[in-house]
């Protein structure tokens, strides 16, 4: 019997603002779509956090025995600056600045994205469609929306008629906005004069002569709107109505609101049963964002080569840090927070490493079955990973008690106990046990610490030739020493 038959998940549905019992459209199967990156620059840790949260959701659903079709797209065209309907395409702009082809930009940052996800031990999605690979589907969708009376063409561009749509449907139901308020709050920007109303959004844009990424269509040589891409790709692979749609909180409006409108206008149905939104990652108290420059790249955090943090952190420590708060909470990335997570992670790994040596004896003095269910209950409650981690620390306590002979465990329970820990630590949280205290990495870092100490002694003895030699030779093998007010730290290139 698959596990999902005995476990009931509740998901916080952004559409209704409530935690709801999850029931897939087809028993045993789940269709899940998550908006992927726009591949015009290196992913920052904020992006990684959102994808990491959905990686955990994907992992847990699979763990319950569901057959999950997880679609996460690559946006490689149509996403304009400021998420607006006018302005330059983000990818074309980068191509112009770097004097390379737009598709070289796409290739470079798609490869970067995949590399980063590998480092963080992500499971690949089932399908990773690109916007440029689905132009035909998008044109078809526009034709249907025009035929249904919810879009109009002006000068080769096609716009979605939000006011017409709102006469029969509820535009704003996901983001809890009212069209009247939007009317009062929308600034009319240059270049939007083709629209009947400023709230309308582009389904197809006619390309200016200098715009390189263009495709023929019934209306003009041009390119599709960003919102339309996700509607075309999600419904192509998951059906007109599917189970879960995820993305970062910042995509709720207008992106996801427009996805709902497009699907209702084209197919007459709301596309998604459960809308999930991951909250934002902040860096030292303010939102991490490419546009403000308040970002740290994963590589910089992993190598320690950055101006924000005192040392390098491993991918699993960062995953653990992320899982220590709910995907729905804002998470502030700070050195203290990461140091705390690192300690916690090692403590958990130390406990996991004791598991093979644990011995069963007699009957259990701990209720392992109840503990196991508590782990599932935590994840069933809208993927509450911080509570799950609290139960895993409870398990670490049991491990010590059993080891010290203060508690006993039967052989059946021991098997369940080990399996459950392995399932949640490795399969669900996606942590990797490659940075425990016995690992090569830690021995190496111990060795660097010894060299740092020797260098300090050399400096204290005014033997600067030796202290410089230690610094320079370490630099030659890719280890940079940094002298700060709290002593010397190092980073690995
Ligand atoms: P983009 O490439 O900008 O379209 O963003 C890709 C994904 O990362 C989207 O789901 C965004 O919502 C998400 N995202 C962007 N900034 C952050 C942040 N600071 N924290 C969490 N998620 C973010
Ligand atoms: Zn999207």
């Amino acid at each position: 019997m698959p596990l999902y038959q005995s476990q009931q998940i509740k998901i916080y549905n952004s559409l209704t603002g409530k935690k709801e019992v999850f029931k897939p459209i087809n028993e045993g199967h789940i269709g899940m779509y998550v908006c992927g990156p726009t591949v015009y620059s290196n992913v920052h840790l904020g992006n990684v956090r959102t994808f990491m949260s959905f990686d955990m959701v994907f992992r847990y659903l699979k763990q319950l025995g569901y057959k999950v079709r997880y679609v996460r797209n690559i946006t490689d065209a149509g996403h304009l600056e400021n998420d607006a309907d006018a302005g330059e395409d983000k990818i074309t702009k980068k191509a112009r600045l770097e004097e390379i082809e737009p598709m070289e930009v796409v290739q470079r940052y798609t490869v970067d994205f995949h590399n980063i996800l590998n480092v963080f031990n992500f499971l690949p999605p089932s399908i990773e469609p690109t916007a440029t690979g689905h132009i035909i589907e998008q044109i078809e969708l526009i034709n249907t929306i025009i035929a249904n009376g919810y879009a109009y063409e002006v000068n080769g561009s096609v716009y979605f008629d939000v006011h017409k749509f709102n006469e029969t449907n509820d535009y704003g139901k996901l983001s809890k906005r009212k069209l009247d308020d939007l009317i009062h709050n929308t600034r009319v920007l240059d270049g939007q004069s083709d629209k009947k109303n400023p709230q309308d959004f582009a389904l197809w844009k006619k390309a200016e002569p200098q715009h390189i990424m263009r495709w023929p269509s019934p209306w003009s040589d041009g390119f599709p709107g960003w919102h339309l891409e996700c509607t075309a790709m999600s419904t192509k692979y998951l059906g007109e109505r599917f189970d879960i749609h995820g993305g970062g909180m910042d995509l709720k409006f207008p992106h996801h609101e427009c996805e709902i409108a497009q699907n209702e206008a084209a197919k007459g149905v709301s596309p998604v049963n459960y809308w999930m939104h991951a909250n934002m990652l902040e860096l030292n108290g303010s939102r991490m964002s490419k546009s403000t420059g308040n970002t740290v790249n994963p590589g910089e955090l992993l190598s320690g080569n950055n101006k924000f943090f005192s040392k390098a952190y491993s991918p699993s420590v960062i995953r653990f840090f992320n899982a220590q708060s709910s995907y729905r909470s804002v998470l502030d990335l700070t050195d203290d927070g990461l140091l705390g997570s690192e300690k916690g992670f090692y403590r958990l790994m130390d406990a996991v490493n004791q598991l093979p040596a644990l011995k069963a004896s007699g009957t259990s003095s701990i209720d392992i079955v109840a503990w196991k269910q508590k782990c599932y209950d935590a994840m069933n409650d809208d993927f509450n990973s911080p509570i799950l981690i609290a139960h895993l620390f409870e398990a670490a306590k049991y491990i010590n008690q059993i080891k010290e002979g203060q508690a006993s465990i039967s052989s059946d329970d021991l098997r369940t106990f080990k399996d459950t820990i392995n399932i949640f630590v490795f399969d669900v949280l996606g942590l990797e046990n490659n940075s425990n205290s016995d690992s090569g990495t830690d021995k190496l870092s111990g060795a660097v610490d010894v060299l740092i100490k020797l260098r300090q002694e050399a400096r204290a003895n005014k033997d600067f030739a030796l202290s410089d030699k230690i610094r320079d030779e370490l630099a030659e093998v890719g280890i940079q020493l940094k002298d700060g007010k709290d002593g010397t730290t190092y980073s690995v290139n």
Side-chain angles (χ1 to χ4, degrees):
M1 189 174 90
L3 260 178
Y4 61 76
Q5 291 187 351
S6 59
Q7 305 294 334
Q8 188 178 70
I9 304 185
K10 283 189 171 171
I11 294 184
Y12 180 86
N13 188 350
S14 314
L15 189 62
T16 56
K18 288 195 198 97
K19 268 189 207 166
E20 294 173 1
V21 172
F22 175 69
K23 202 171 169 325
I25 296 168
N26 300 308
E27 208 205 303
H29 295 257
I30 295 177
M32 174 161 100
Y33 185 88
V34 171
C35 293
T38 303
V39 281
Y40 72 103
S41 65
N42 299 100
V43 277
H44 60 65
L45 270 161
N47 307 130
V48 172
R49 180 193 184 199
T50 290
F51 298 127
M52 202 177 265
S53 299
F54 288 105
D55 182 61
M56 185 185 72
V57 169
F58 179 41
R59 284 166 172 275
Y60 186 60
L61 296 174
K62 277 163 65 91
Q63 170 53 34
L64 291 187
Y66 284 111
K67 209 159 174 262
V68 188
R69 183 179 292 167
Y70 174 24
V71 182
R72 189 186 62 215
N73 74 297
I74 296 280
T75 295
D76 56 355
H79 196 171
L80 304 187
E81 286 178 285
N82 308 317
D83 299 348
D85 278 345
E88 207 171 355
D89 182 299
K90 294 187 186 199
I91 287 163
T92 319
K93 180 175 178 186
K94 183 77 171 190
R96 184 170 55 74
L97 294 174
E98 305 245 329
E99 297 184 328
I100 55 176
E101 278 289 317
M103 276 299 152
E104 283 182 273
V105 173
V106 166
Q107 179 70 16
R108 180 188 294 172
Y109 296 112
T110 303
V111 168
D112 170 72
F113 176 60
H114 288 153
N115 285 344
I116 296 296
L117 299 194
N118 276 338
V119 169
F120 283 104
N121 196 28
F122 276 61
L123 295 182
S126 328
I127 305 177
E128 194 172 49
T130 61
T132 56
H134 295 76
I135 302 288
I136 292 171
E137 288 82 351
Q138 295 174 70
I139 291 176
E140 254 174 45
L141 207 51
I142 300 174
N143 270 327
T144 312
I145 298 175
I146 294 176
N148 291 349
Y150 293 110
Y152 56 92
E153 189 215 322
V154 184
N155 295 329
S157 294
V158 181
Y159 296 99
F160 189 94
D161 191 336
V162 169
H163 290 238
K164 171 80 194 299
F165 175 78
N166 199 54
E167 286 168 14
T168 44
N169 300 61
D170 180 7
Y171 183 77
K173 66 176 160 193
L174 176 69
S175 53
K176 316 289 176 246
R177 294 173 197 227
K178 292 260 163 280
L179 186 55
D180 282 347
D181 298 338
L182 288 172
I183 293 169
H184 286 114
N185 294 329
T186 317
R187 277 182 306 138
V188 181
L189 299 169
D190 288 344
Q192 295 199 344
S193 49
D194 279 351
K195 295 180 185 179
K196 280 196 213 164
N197 291 292
Q199 296 74 37
D200 296 351
F201 58 89
L203 299 176
W204 187 265
K205 287 284 288 183
K206 180 182 171 174
E208 300 297 326
Q210 71 277 12
H211 197 105
I212 310 170
M213 298 178 92
R214 53 170 68 215
W215 291 265
S217 80
W219 315 286
S220 62
D221 272 11
F223 55 92
W226 171 42
H227 314 311
L228 191 72
E229 299 172 359
C230 284
T231 299
M233 293 184 274
S234 59
T235 56
K236 170 163 177 153
Y237 298 109
L238 301 174
E240 287 175 10
R241 197 175 172 92
F242 55 95
D243 298 300
I244 298 175
H245 191 316
M249 202 73 107
D250 56 331
L251 298 187
K252 228 188 225 181
F253 187 87
H255 188 55
H256 293 158
E257 196 70 62
C258 295
E259 278 188 49
I260 295 178
Q262 290 164 160
N263 212 62
E264 289 186 356
K267 313 281 171 61
V269 288
S270 195
V272 176
N273 282 349
Y274 303 87
W275 280 96
M276 292 179 70
H277 287 98
N279 216 326
M280 294 291 109
L281 184 71
E282 296 185 343
L283 178 57
N284 294 325
S286 49
R287 158 108 179 262
M288 197 179 285
S289 149
K290 280 176 207 166
S291 49
T292 58
N294 189 41
T295 60
V296 58
N297 280 341
E300 294 169 337
L301 187 55
L302 296 171
S303 68
N305 224 340
N306 62 70
K307 59 178 191 281
F308 301 105
F309 300 103
S310 63
K311 63 185 289 296
Y313 294 96
S314 79
S316 282
V317 166
I318 298 166
R319 268 195 96 109
F320 190 72
F321 172 75
N322 189 42
Q324 279 184 302
S325 51
S326 152
Y327 75 92
R328 284 203 288 129
S329 318
V330 171
L331 177 59
D332 192 16
L333 190 67
T334 61
D335 207 35
D336 284 350
L338 284 166
L339 285 169
S341 294
E342 189 176 56
K343 260 199 203 129
F345 172 73
Y346 286 134
R347 190 149 65 83
L348 186 60
M349 287 305 133
D350 279 346
V352 169
N353 290 334
Q354 316 273 352
L355 276 179
L358 273 198
K359 297 267 179 301
S361 70
T363 54
S364 301
S365 61
I366 305 162
D367 190 343
I368 294 297
V369 174
W371 168 81
K372 173 182 169 184
Q373 187 53 42
K374 279 198 234 164
C375 294
Y376 280 94
D377 288 345
M379 288 304 281
N380 292 342
D381 181 16
D382 195 32
F383 310 97
N384 200 331
S385 50
I387 301 290
L388 168 66
I389 289 174
H391 296 311
L392 292 174
F393 279 127
E394 189 70 17
K397 210 173 72 192
Y398 295 158
I399 291 170
N400 281 327
Q401 289 171 348
I402 297 166
K403 217 178 78 191
E404 306 292 327
Q406 295 154 0
S408 63
I409 188 163
S410 71
S411 54
D412 275 0
D413 277 352
L414 182 58
R415 210 167 314 119
T416 307
F417 189 51
K418 286 181 180 176
D419 286 351
T420 308
I421 291 178
N422 284 322
I423 285 171
F424 282 103
V425 170
F426 301 114
D427 300 347
V428 174
L429 294 180
L431 302 173
E432 290 178 300
N433 194 4
N434 54 7
S435 34
N436 61 60
S437 44
D438 289 335
S439 77
T441 318
D442 265 41
K443 285 187 182 143
L444 211 59
S445 100
V448 177
D449 287 341
V450 170
L451 287 167
I452 290 176
K453 249 192 231 138
L454 286 177
R455 181 165 163 264
Q456 273 159 358
E457 281 170 25
R459 284 165 116 193
N461 296 332
K462 304 221 173 334
D463 185 352
F464 298 112
L466 179 60
S467 84
D468 289 353
K469 190 168 183 253
I470 293 173
R471 186 196 58 209
D472 296 345
E473 292 197 5
L474 280 173
E476 265 172 39
V477 297
I479 296 170
Q480 307 287 345
L481 298 188
K482 278 193 278 190
D483 296 316
K485 60 178 179 354
D486 301 322
T488 304
T489 55
Y490 74 93
S491 61
V492 182
N493 292 331

